[in-house]
Amino acid sequence: MKLLRLITSFKGNESLSFQLGNAIVEKIKTQHPEIDSTTRNLTKNEMPHLNELHFNSFMTPTQDLTAELKDAVSYSDEALKELLPADIVVIDVPMYNLSIPSSLKAWIDHIVRAGITFRYSEEGIEGLLKDKKVFLAIASGGIFSEGPLKEFDLTEKYLRNVLGFIGITDITVFRVEGTAMPQFKDEALPKALESVAAYSL
Ligand SMILES: Cc1cc2nc3c(=O)[nH]c(=O)nc-3n(C[C@H](O)[C@H](O)[C@H](O)COP(=O)(O)O)c2cc1C
């Protein structure tokens, strides 16, 4: 079995999404001690914003790639080399401005590729990554899993939609939330870690 971990907070060890992601990975390792894991820190090993060259490289058959297009497609190919064999993907998601970090969006723009992660068929669009399980470790200053801010959360909603688009529908979400709220902040991480401990894989 293979696991891919994506780190997307620039806060290093202080990051709450990172600490929650670590707990998820440790839990998975208790069930699958033999699991082979790869980690990509998208804040250190960044994917470039998708540009015209990248997109043209996706649309060009391999045998026709120029040196420039080969270079352009290398980011996507490298990310797919990590994603395609992974059975489980754990993604740390700090909420930035109600949404996901742009480093994660850039990664998504490089892995959503026609013919590789989805295809157009007679029935419409078909996601091709059907057998993967994803865990999201979402950290936010406010509380978004319930209450008045729920509808403003574009982290879980967007990730469920875009991952579903490429065929990944087995998605489990853990949250460390309310860390900017005095009445919730001290309990936020312990509560999130407890939810991981209580989860049966
Ligand atoms: C640039 C930036 C934007 C943020 N935007 C939001 C937001 O829209 N809503 C929210 O609840 N918290 C927001 N926060 C707070 C973070 O979500 C919170 O600090 C979280 O713990 C960050 O994850 P990390 O600890 O893994 O870095 C923001 C923090 C930063 C640095």
Side-chain angles (χ1 to χ4, degrees):
M1 282 189 85
K2 285 185 188 291
L3 181 147
L4 172 63
R5 168 83 180 278
L6 298 178
I7 295 168
T8 73
S9 167
F10 47 68
K11 286 196 190 153
N13 291 335
E14 299 287 301
S15 156
L16 296 171
S17 63
F18 175 71
Q19 293 177 53
L20 185 57
N22 281 349
I24 297 168
V25 169
E26 286 313 309
K27 177 93 187 188
I28 294 165
K29 284 185 175 166
T30 60
Q31 294 289 314
H32 305 286
E34 80 300 344
I35 203 158
D36 174 11
S37 49
T38 298
T39 300
R40 177 183 278 248
N41 185 329
L42 289 168
T43 72
K44 294 200 157 81
N45 186 4
E46 286 185 352
M47 304 291 283
H49 285 175
L50 192 76
N51 64 25
E52 189 181 9
L53 262 186
H54 299 128
F55 191 68
N56 287 345
S57 74
F58 299 171
M59 307 308 284
T60 305
T62 313
Q63 66 275 15
D64 299 335
L65 289 170
T66 60
E68 191 179 38
L69 290 178
K70 272 187 192 153
D71 186 49
V73 83
S74 64
Y75 299 98
S76 172
D77 285 350
E78 200 189 321
L80 287 169
K81 213 159 83 188
E82 294 168 351
L83 175 64
L84 295 180
D87 303 287
I88 302 179
V89 184
V90 177
I91 309 177
D92 304 354
V93 190
M95 178 186 282
Y96 293 156
N97 304 317
L98 304 177
S99 186
I100 64 170
S102 55
S103 60
L104 179 56
K105 178 62 167 59
W107 180 85
I108 290 168
D109 288 340
H110 285 270
I111 59 97
V112 176
R113 267 176 75 181
I116 301 181
T117 53
F118 75 96
R119 72 172 165 222
Y120 297 101
S121 69
E122 279 171 15
E123 288 80 47
I125 286 164
E126 183 190 0
L128 298 175
L129 306 189
K130 290 194 178 116
D131 298 321
K132 298 190 193 302
K133 182 162 184 54
V134 167
F135 291 92
L136 303 177
I138 303 177
S140 59
I143 292 188
F144 292 85
S145 62
E146 57 185 10
L149 292 181
K150 196 173 188 321
E151 66 176 300
F152 292 95
D153 171 36
L154 300 175
T155 57
E156 178 174 344
K157 202 179 285 181
Y158 170 66
L159 288 168
R160 281 190 185 278
N161 277 298
V162 75
L163 293 170
F165 182 82
I166 57 171
I168 303 174
T169 53
D170 186 350
I171 299 170
T172 303
V173 177
F174 292 100
R175 286 179 180 264
V176 49
E177 58 181 354
T179 51
M181 303 167 79
Q183 70 275 40
F184 297 118
K185 74 174 172 44
D186 293 340
E187 277 310 303
L189 185 59
K191 208 171 138 191
L193 297 178
E194 273 166 32
S195 67
V196 176
Y199 178 79
S200 325
L201 281 170

